[in-house]
Amino acid sequence: MGITPFSKQELLPQEEKLEIAKHKSELFIGIPKETSYQERRICLTPDAVSSLVCHGHRVLIESGAGKHASYSDKDYSDAGAEITSDTKKIFECPMLLKVEPPTLAEIEMIKPQTIIISAIQIKTRKKEYFEALKKKKITALAFEYIKDDDNSFPAVKSLSEIAGTASVLVAAELMTTSNSGNGLLFGNITGVRPTEVVILGAGTVAEYAVKTALGLGASVKVFDNSITKLRRLQNNLNQRIFTSTIQNKTLLKSLRRCDVAIGAMRGKYRTPIVVTEDMVSHMKKGAIIVDVSIDTGGCFETSEITTHENPTFIKNGVIHYCVPNIPSRYSKTASLSISNIITPYLLQIANDGGIESAIRCDAGLKNGVYFYHGILTNKTIGEWFDLTFRDINLIVF
């Protein structure tokens, strides 16, 4: 055998190596003004826009979109966004970011094959919404379905943190005499019995409500039927508090004594009613009910949806606060929160070379997709609305 510059190993047949390079894609994102009732949040803060623009992306924002979250058009244009008053122009962008899902009229303006990232709020959807997305071959992602590395839902979690903290602050406000409350200070003043709070549920909303109430010095009782959730709550608090499974006798006893009751339960389709009208009638006159779970039906039988403008009503002498979408009341904090979650995903989508590659690389983001090029890929939605759906893992792999 003659002399050769190759080693024996190199002379053996080699497998073919194809060059695989990720081609970064440039995003062109449109952010329309929220039109749905009481929605004051926006998906991206000026800082987030600035970060996207620095990475070579374009952001087109409808004039006044950030007004209710205390961000002016100037804040956005200084950050590098383009501002327009032409709504139609916004909806023609290849990628749309919204807090609320688009309306049927808005979907009409959207170009085929657009990518929409928004909340889905399945409880308020109708079948026509999904049919409209299908017709336009849209790819849609829902904030609520995007998963983190630890299998949690970051958007749901952070809005629950806001709602939980806010529920206690709202109750503290309502207890003042000027709001026809009992004139009690929410807290623990030396020599005065601390405010008593009953919290139904032991999820994230409840945890943040408990932390805020304890921080103000109140005495807190938590009711939930899941021992695991109650245990996790105790461990997260680093202190022992009164916890109980939901038994009518114990619950009624606590409701009779409490100054504030907060509903933070979640059901699969509808929140279970835990407190009957009869139980509410036994509560103190001027006590406060804040039903955070009103979005999914409420866990007090006496709850009825109210608005940010007229947030309360009195029934059986008890003040009820039943505003859905509490985070919208704190629109700037909520916008910062959404923006922090969504911006890294947008940069990742661009780095991976578009939504198709991004969902191949990230199972959590893939979980957020409920429409893929006009094909419904979410089982829950399919079963709920009696629509045909396909497993996304059989389409994208």
Side-chain angles (χ1 to χ4, degrees):
M1 191 175 166
I3 298 165
T4 163
F6 298 108
S7 68
K8 191 177 175 195
Q9 185 63 38
E10 285 168 333
L11 284 169
L12 289 169
Q14 304 287 315
E15 71 224 40
E16 183 182 11
K17 286 192 173 70
L18 289 174
E19 184 186 357
I20 300 174
K22 282 185 180 173
H23 295 289
K24 289 191 176 184
S25 68
E26 283 175 14
L27 304 178
F28 183 17
I29 300 167
I31 300 184
K33 204 155 124 182
E34 293 295 333
T35 51
S36 77
Y37 186 55
Q38 295 193 339
E39 187 47 78
R40 305 187 171 118
R41 298 170 292 180
I42 185 166
C43 287
L44 294 180
T45 61
D47 286 348
V49 169
S50 167
S51 164
L52 286 161
V53 172
C54 288
H55 281 83
H57 307 301
R58 283 177 69 193
V59 182
L60 185 64
I61 293 184
E62 188 170 354
S63 176
K67 184 181 161 206
H68 293 300
S70 312
Y71 294 121
S72 67
D73 288 350
K74 187 178 182 305
D75 293 337
Y76 282 108
S77 61
D78 289 352
E82 301 158 51
I83 310 288
T84 178
S85 304
D86 184 352
T87 312
K88 204 165 178 304
K89 205 170 150 190
I90 299 269
F91 281 100
E92 284 172 354
C93 290
M95 183 182 244
L96 285 174
L97 279 190
K98 272 179 102 312
V99 178
E100 297 272 332
T103 62
L104 291 176
E106 286 168 342
I107 295 175
E108 276 302 303
M109 292 190 269
I110 296 172
K111 286 185 164 175
Q113 301 287 359
T114 298
I115 296 166
I116 300 173
I117 303 178
S118 74
I120 182 174
Q121 297 167 345
I122 188 166
K123 304 282 187 306
T124 58
R125 294 301 90 209
K126 289 189 168 67
K127 201 170 181 173
E128 296 88 80
Y129 169 76
F130 301 105
E131 284 161 351
L133 293 181
K134 184 177 179 174
K135 208 165 103 192
K136 291 265 174 137
K137 295 202 169 8
I138 280 167
T139 295
L141 284 87
F143 296 148
E144 298 102 308
Y145 296 157
I146 294 175
K147 271 189 180 176
D148 230 336
D149 298 341
D150 65 350
N151 230 5
S152 67
F153 297 94
V156 177
K157 222 172 186 167
S158 68
L159 291 172
S160 298
E161 290 171 6
I162 295 173
T165 306
S167 64
V168 172
L169 301 179
V170 164
E173 235 172 273
L174 294 174
M175 286 167 85
T176 59
T177 319
S178 59
N179 282 318
S180 64
N182 273 335
L184 290 170
L185 177 66
F186 201 116
N188 188 345
I189 304 304
T190 312
V192 180
R193 183 183 70 82
T195 316
E196 291 201 20
V197 182
V198 165
I199 294 173
L200 303 168
T204 309
V205 175
E207 183 186 326
Y208 277 75
V210 172
K211 282 178 176 169
T212 312
L214 289 175
L216 289 168
S219 144
V220 181
K221 292 181 176 176
V222 179
F223 289 84
D224 193 283
N225 273 336
S226 161
I227 296 288
T228 312
K229 278 186 176 176
L230 290 172
R231 184 177 294 120
R232 192 178 63 213
L233 178 68
Q234 293 265 30
N235 294 340
N236 288 354
L237 292 173
N238 287 329
Q239 72 180 86
R240 313 307 284 171
I241 54 165
F242 175 103
T243 56
S244 168
T245 51
I246 300 169
Q247 294 154 0
N248 285 359
K249 200 175 165 190
T250 323
L251 180 57
L252 180 60
K253 194 176 163 189
S254 302
L255 285 170
R256 276 187 146 144
R257 297 193 50 169
C258 79
D259 306 294
V260 175
I262 295 172
M265 304 278 294
R266 280 186 70 174
K268 193 171 177 195
Y269 298 125
R270 191 208 180 284
T271 308
I273 289 177
V274 179
V275 179
T276 61
E277 181 154 3
D278 181 52
M279 287 174 160
V280 174
S281 67
H282 284 92
M283 286 172 73
K284 290 179 191 169
K285 297 285 167 269
I288 316 283
I289 284 176
V290 178
D291 201 341
V292 185
S293 34
I294 192 72
D295 298 39
T296 54
C299 51
F300 293 83
E301 195 179 0
T302 46
S303 293
E304 286 165 27
I305 290 184
T306 59
T307 63
H308 285 295
E309 284 71 40
N310 293 313
T312 59
F313 63 88
I314 296 177
K315 216 173 198 175
N316 298 333
V318 177
I319 301 165
H320 291 62
Y321 178 98
C322 306
V323 179
N325 194 359
I326 291 180
S328 181
R329 179 187 165 110
Y330 303 93
S331 52
K332 194 165 195 168
T333 300
S335 299
L336 279 158
S337 184
I338 293 173
S339 183
N340 289 342
I341 289 163
I342 207 154
T343 310
Y345 281 115
L346 294 172
L347 293 170
Q348 185 187 325
I349 288 169
N351 278 341
D352 290 343
I355 193 83
E356 279 86 357
S357 320
I359 60 180
R360 272 191 191 96
C361 306
D362 186 327
L365 190 65
K366 187 196 274 183
N367 200 64
V369 179
Y370 64 94
F371 247 87
Y372 186 74
H373 295 296
I375 301 167
L376 178 65
T377 57
N378 183 291
K379 186 172 182 238
T380 315
I381 298 172
E383 289 172 352
W384 183 291
F385 293 99
D386 193 23
L387 294 161
T388 46
F389 60 91
R390 286 176 62 191
D391 184 345
I392 191 159
N393 297 308
L394 301 177
I395 309 170
V396 180
F397 40 80

